C-alpha cells in the first residue's frame, strides 16, 4: 500500500470540454471471503469509496463492494469549466485516506 | 458466435479426454505507448519452431488491451514501486542503485534483453534478480533479497521495463553459457511429475491448443515479471515453479541450478521477441 | 513466503476463486432472486425499463478475478436529464453488489469503467437511476472460464 495512486488527467482542455480521467491504486481489496492456510477467515479490507472533485464540486463518486478487483481501476469523464484542480480520494475500511490531485489548464 | 462455440467446446473439454482444439495466435499488433513490440518473429537457427509468438497473441482481446496502455496495465504499479526502490539507499555503504547507475532509463536500457549473462565469479549464469543481490551484498553493504521478497520482483520489473520493445538477445558465447543452455534444454524436454509432463508437452507439442479454458502459448518469458489477472505480479521462477507444481512434481528451488539453466534455455527460445515487462496475462 | 504446495493452493484458491463454488470453502452464492430484490431496493420498487443504459462486458472473461466492465447511459447530463447513479450487480457472486457510481452535471457524460470479480459464469446487471425518478437496466452474461493450469 506504499505506492502512490496513479492518475491520468490531460494537462489542458478547452472550456466546457469533457475529458477522460483514469485512476489506478494499489490495494489488495481483501474480500472477506477468503481463508488463510490455517482455515481462519481473512477479514475484509477494501477501498470502500472513491471520490473525484473539481474545485470542491463533486464530479464522480463510487461506492465499492468487495467484488471490485484488486488494484481498483476507474475510468470516467469530467466537464472542465475552467482551470483548476481535480482532487481524488480513496477511503480504506481501516480508516486510511489516500489522496491525489491533478491540475488542468483551460486554454 | 465463433467465440461462444469455442468456449462451449473448451468448457466441455479436459486436457486428457478431448481431441485437440486448435486456436491459433491472433492476428494483432502491439504498441505500448507508441513503442512497437515484436510479438512474432522468425526463430533463431536450431529452434524447434519456425516462428516465435509472444504469449500476448494467445490472450483474449480484453487482456491484450491491458498491455497496450501502460496506464491501464496494473503491473506498472510494481514498476513505479521498483523505481522508488531504485532511488532508495539500502545497506551500510549509503548507496542506492541510482548512486552508481544513475538514470535507469539510460544505464539499464538493454539489460532486460541480454540477461541471463555469464557470471565469472560464480561460474554460473546470473539473472537480473541475482545481479541485484550481487550489487546489494558486494557494493551496497546490504543483505541479499530473499526470493520474491523485499521488492525483488518490483526492482526486477523496473529494470527490465527499461528495455521495453528491445529484442531479446542473449550472448551464449560467454563463459560456459552453452553448456547451461544444453542443461536447460534437458530440463525443458524431461517429463516430470505424476502427470508426466515436460515443458515441451504443453508449450511445444500442444502449443495453440487448449487445456480446458487455457490457451497454450509457446511459454515465452519476454514479459516477466508479468502481471497475472489471477495472482498479480509474478516472477519467472515463481511461474516455473507453478508450472512444475501443476505437473505434480517436486518443485526445484528458485534460482537453483535447474531453474537457472531453464531460464537460460527458455530465454533463448524467445530470441528476437521484444521485452514486454510487465506483460499482462491471464 | 515459503511456496509450499499447500500454501500456493490456498493462495491461488483465494485469489482466483474469491468464491469458487464447490471449493473447500464455498460461501453461499447469491441467487438471481437476491439480485432482483437488490435491484428493487435500489429503484424503490420501480421496475426498470429497457434502453438508455448499456453495459459493455467481455463475452468470455479470461480470468474471473479481473473482468473489465463499462457502463454508459444516454443523457444530456444537464437540468432534469441527468443520471444520478448507476449500480452494478453480479447475480452469481456471494454478494451481488459490485459498485455504485454517482454522477453530477460535472461528469459531463454518464460513463464509467472498472474491473470486477466474478465467481462463476453469471449475469452482470447495471441499473441507472435518473433525476426524474425513471430507472433503466441492462444485463449481460459473462462466461467465466476455468483455467487448466492449477486453477
Amino acid at each position: 500500500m506504499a505506492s502512490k495512486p496513479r492518475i491520468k488527467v490531460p494537462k489542458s482542455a478547452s472550456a466546457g470540454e469533457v475529458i477522460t480521467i483514469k485512476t489506478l491504486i494499489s490495494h489488495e481489496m481483501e474480500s472477506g471471503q477468503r481463508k488463510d492456510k490455517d482455515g481462519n477467515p481473512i477479514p475484509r479490507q477494501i477501498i470502500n469509496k472513491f471520490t473525484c472533485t473539481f474545485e470542491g464540486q463533486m464530479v464522480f463518486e463510487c461506492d465499492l463492494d468487495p467484488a471490485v478487483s484488486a488494484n481498483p481501476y476507474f475510468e470516467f469523464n469530467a466537464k472542465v469549466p475552467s482551470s483548476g484542480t481535480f482532487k481524488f480520494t480513496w477511503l480504506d475500511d481501516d480508516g486510511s485516506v489516500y489522496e491525489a490531485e491533478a491540475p488542468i489548464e483551460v486554454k | 458466435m465463433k467465440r461462444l462455440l469455442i468456449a462451449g467446446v473448451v468448457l466441455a473439454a479436459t486436457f486428457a479426454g478431448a481431441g485437440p482444439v486448435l486456436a491459433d495466435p491472433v492476428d494483432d499488433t502491439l504498441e505500448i505507448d507508441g513503442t512497437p513490440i515484436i510479438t512474432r518473429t522468425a526463430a533463431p537457427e536450431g529452434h524447434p519452431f519456425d516462428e516465435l509468438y509472444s504469449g500476448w497473441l494467445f490472450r483474449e482481446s480484453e487482456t491484450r488491451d491491458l498491455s497496450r496502455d501502460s496506464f491501464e496495465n496494473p503491473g506498472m504499479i510494481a514498476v513505479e514501486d521498483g523505481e522508488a526502490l531504485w532511488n532508495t539507499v539500502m545497506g551500510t555503504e549509503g548507496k542506492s542503485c541510482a548512486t552508481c547507475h544513475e538514470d535507469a532509463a539510460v544505464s539499464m536500457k538493454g539489460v532486460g534483453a541480454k540477461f541471463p549473462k555469464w557470471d565469472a565469479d560464480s561460474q554460473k549464469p546470473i539473472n537480473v534478480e541475482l545481479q541485484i543481490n550481487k550489487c546489494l551484498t558486494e557494493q551496497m553493504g546490504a543483505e541479499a533479497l530473499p526470493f520474491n521478497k523485499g521488492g525483488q520482483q518490483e526492482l526486477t520489473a523496473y529494470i527490465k521495463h527499461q528495455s521495453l520493445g528491445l529484442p531479446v538477445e542473449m550472448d551464449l558465447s560467454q563463459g560456459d553459457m552453452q553448456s547451461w543452455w544444453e542443461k536447460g534444454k534437458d530440463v525443458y524436454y524431461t517429463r516430470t511429475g505424476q502427470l508426466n509432463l515436460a515443458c515441451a508437452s504443453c508449450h511445444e507439442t500442444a502449443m495453440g491448443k487448449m487445456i480446458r479454458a487455457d490457451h497454450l502459448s509457446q511459454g515465452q518469458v519476454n514479459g516477466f515479471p508479468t502481471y497475472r489477472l489471477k495472482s498479480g505480479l509474478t516472477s519467472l521462477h515463481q511461474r516455473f515453479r507453478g508450472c512444475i507444481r501443476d505437473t505434480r512434481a517436486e518443485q526445484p528451488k528458485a534460482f537453483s541450478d535447474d531453474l537457472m539453466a531453464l531460464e537460460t534455455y527458455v530465454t533463448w527460445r524467445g530470441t528476437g521477441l521484444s521485452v514486454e515487462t510487465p506483460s499482462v496475462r491471464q | 513466503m515459503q511456496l509450499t504446495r499447500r500454501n500456493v493452493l490456498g493462495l491461488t484458491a483465494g485469489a482466483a476463486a474469491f468464491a469458487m463454488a464447490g471449493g473447500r470453502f464455498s460461501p453461499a452464492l447469491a441467487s438471481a432472486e437476491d439480485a432482483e430484490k437488490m435491484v428493487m431496493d435500489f429503484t424503490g420498487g420501480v421496475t426498470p425499463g429497457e434502453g438508455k443504459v448499456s453495459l459493455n462486458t467481455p463475452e468470455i472473461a479470461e480470468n474471473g478475478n479481473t473482468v473489465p466492465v463499462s457502463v454508459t447511459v444516454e443523457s444530456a447530463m444537464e437540468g432534469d436529464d441527468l443520471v444520478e447513479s448507476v449500480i452494478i450487480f453480479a447475480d452469481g457472486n456471494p454478494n451481488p453488489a459490485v459498485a455504485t457510481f454517482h454522477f453530477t452535471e460535472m461528469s459531463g457524460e454518464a460513463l464509467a469503467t472498472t474491473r470486477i470479480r466474478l465467481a462463476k459464469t453469471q449475469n452482470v446487471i447495471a441499473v441507472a437511476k435518473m433525476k426524474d425518478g425513471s430507472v433503466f437496466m441492462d444485463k449481460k452474461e459473462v462466461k467465466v472460464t476455468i483455467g487448466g493450469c492449477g486453477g
Side-chain angles (χ1 to χ4, degrees):
Chain A
M1 228 140 309
S3 336
K4 57 180 199 288
R6 307 186 79 212
I7 46 175
K8 193 173 188 179
V9 177
K11 285 191 171 59
S12 64
S14 50
E17 190 182 339
V18 176
I19 58 157
T20 298
I21 293 177
K22 298 177 182 182
T23 70
L24 184 65
I25 189 166
S26 166
H27 199 283
E28 280 294 318
M29 293 293 281
E30 189 60 59
S31 69
Q33 300 284 347
R34 302 203 302 165
K35 293 186 180 181
D36 65 19
K37 62 178 194 286
D38 300 320
N40 303 313
I42 304 173
R44 169 186 140 149
Q45 193 194 339
I46 67 166
I47 302 269
N48 59 57
K49 198 177 200 63
F50 166 73
T51 310
C52 169
T53 60
F54 181 76
E55 296 296 313
Q57 280 184 284
M58 186 64 65
V59 172
F60 174 79
E61 196 176 79
C62 180
D63 298 311
L64 293 77
D65 291 288
V68 174
S69 303
N71 306 325
Y73 170 84
F74 291 111
E75 185 178 327
F76 53 93
N77 285 353
K79 195 148 85 177
V80 188
S82 61
S83 296
T85 302
F86 286 101
K87 285 200 169 133
F88 306 89
T89 53
W90 293 258
L91 305 186
D92 191 305
D93 275 348
D94 73 0
S96 313
V97 180
Y98 314 108
E99 290 175 304
E101 53 182 64
I104 190 163
E105 191 192 340
V106 163
K107 289 183 176 167
Chain B
M1 198 56 214
K2 191 178 160 209
R3 279 176 57 174
L4 266 180
L5 276 175
I6 291 173
V9 175
V10 164
L11 286 171
T14 63
F15 184 56
V21 179
L22 288 171
D24 290 328
V26 295
D27 185 13
D28 196 358
T29 53
L30 177 60
E31 257 192 29
I32 301 174
D33 298 347
T35 302
I37 302 293
I38 305 160
T39 57
R40 53 174 80 210
T41 189
E45 208 187 313
H47 201 291
F49 291 126
D50 293 332
E51 194 173 23
L52 306 184
Y53 306 125
S54 161
W56 183 79
L57 295 168
F58 294 80
R59 305 280 53 94
E60 295 282 342
S61 63
E62 292 80 15
T63 310
R64 293 203 304 279
D65 286 347
L66 287 179
S67 290
R68 283 185 219 275
D69 179 339
S70 69
F71 188 86
E72 291 184 23
N73 179 346
M76 289 302 291
I77 292 175
V79 169
E80 287 188 356
D81 288 348
E83 182 177 14
L85 274 171
W86 178 265
N87 294 301
T88 302
V89 170
M90 291 180 269
T92 52
E93 299 295 312
K95 290 181 192 169
S96 69
C97 304
T99 308
C100 297
H101 298 291
E102 298 175 357
D103 183 0
V106 177
S107 62
M108 293 297 119
K109 190 172 180 177
V111 165
K114 294 199 166 75
F115 272 72
K117 279 187 163 179
W118 183 250
D119 180 48
D121 295 339
S122 64
Q123 288 292 302
K124 287 181 181 183
I126 188 167
N127 61 9
V128 172
E129 287 90 336
L130 294 181
Q131 180 62 56
I132 292 168
N133 278 350
K134 198 173 173 183
C135 279
L136 283 167
T137 53
E138 293 179 9
Q139 310 292 335
M140 299 163 80
E143 298 271 323
L145 298 173
F147 174 51
N148 266 3
K149 287 193 175 161
Q152 182 178 70
Q153 290 199 72
E154 288 78 0
L155 206 42
T156 303
Y158 175 64
I159 290 169
K160 286 202 171 176
H161 181 67
Q162 308 309 317
S163 304
L164 186 76
L166 297 176
V168 170
E169 191 187 9
M170 269 172 53
D171 182 358
L172 289 172
S173 69
Q174 303 170 328
D176 217 3
M177 285 298 273
Q178 193 62 45
S179 68
W180 282 78
W181 179 95
E182 296 284 353
K183 183 180 162 67
K185 188 176 176 184
D186 278 350
V187 174
Y188 193 87
Y189 286 100
T190 303
R191 289 177 176 269
T192 62
Q194 292 175 329
L195 298 184
N196 202 29
L197 294 169
C199 305
S201 310
C202 289
H203 296 294
E204 187 173 304
T205 314
M207 189 271 293
K209 296 176 188 169
M210 311 290 295
I211 294 187
R212 292 200 291 191
D214 271 341
H215 190 186
L216 286 169
S217 70
Q218 289 181 345
Q220 297 292 359
V221 299
N222 52 313
F224 279 88
T226 183
Y227 187 91
R228 297 190 70 195
L229 300 179
K230 171 171 148 178
S231 50
L233 194 71
T234 303
S235 65
L236 179 56
H237 286 237
Q238 184 182 347
R239 192 72 194 94
F240 281 157
R241 285 167 52 83
C243 264
I244 292 165
R245 178 201 65 220
D246 292 343
T247 71
R248 303 192 191 155
E250 293 234 2
Q251 301 177 79
K253 286 204 157 101
F255 313 134
S256 60
D257 285 357
D258 274 356
L259 292 190
M260 288 307 297
L262 187 60
E263 178 172 353
T264 303
Y265 178 67
V266 175
T267 304
W268 170 81
R269 283 179 72 109
T271 300
L273 293 172
S274 288
V275 174
E276 258 177 65
T277 307
S279 62
V280 184
R281 300 290 187 257
Q282 82 286 20
Chain C
M1 184 191 67
Q2 201 63 33
L3 275 179
T4 62
R5 178 179 162 79
R6 209 183 129 81
N7 235 329
V8 168
L9 277 177
L11 271 180
T12 50
F18 162 64
M20 273 283 204
R24 276 183 299 148
F25 42 92
S26 50
L29 296 185
S31 64
E33 291 79 54
D34 287 343
E36 218 162 278
K37 188 178 171 300
M38 291 177 90
V39 169
M40 289 315 235
D41 285 350
F42 175 72
T43 65
V46 181
T47 305
E50 284 184 20
K52 291 228 181 206
V53 53
S54 59
L55 192 55
N56 188 11
T57 57
E59 221 173 300
I60 303 169
E62 201 152 19
N63 190 295
N65 240 352
T66 314
V67 184
V69 168
S70 291
V71 64
T72 53
V73 191
E74 286 170 35
S75 163
M77 292 307 279
E78 271 175 1
D80 285 340
D81 185 7
L82 191 82
V83 183
E84 285 189 334
S85 52
V86 176
I87 193 163
I88 308 286
F89 293 112
D91 71 2
N93 269 358
N95 179 347
V98 175
T100 311
F101 305 119
H102 303 278
F103 299 98
T104 69
E105 284 194 17
M106 288 288 290
S107 307
E109 272 177 77
L111 174 156
T113 299
T114 189
R115 297 168 186 163
I116 72 171
R117 293 163 166 159
L118 297 176
K120 57 171 189 173
T121 294
Q122 57 185 291
N123 292 312
V124 177
I125 299 165
V127 185
K129 199 191 280 182
M130 319 296 279
K131 196 180 176 188
D132 66 8
S134 57
V135 286
F136 298 90
M137 184 171 109
D138 193 17
K139 184 154 98 173
K140 288 273 163 67
E141 191 192 43
V142 180
K143 288 190 165 54
V144 176
T145 56
I146 301 162
C149 302

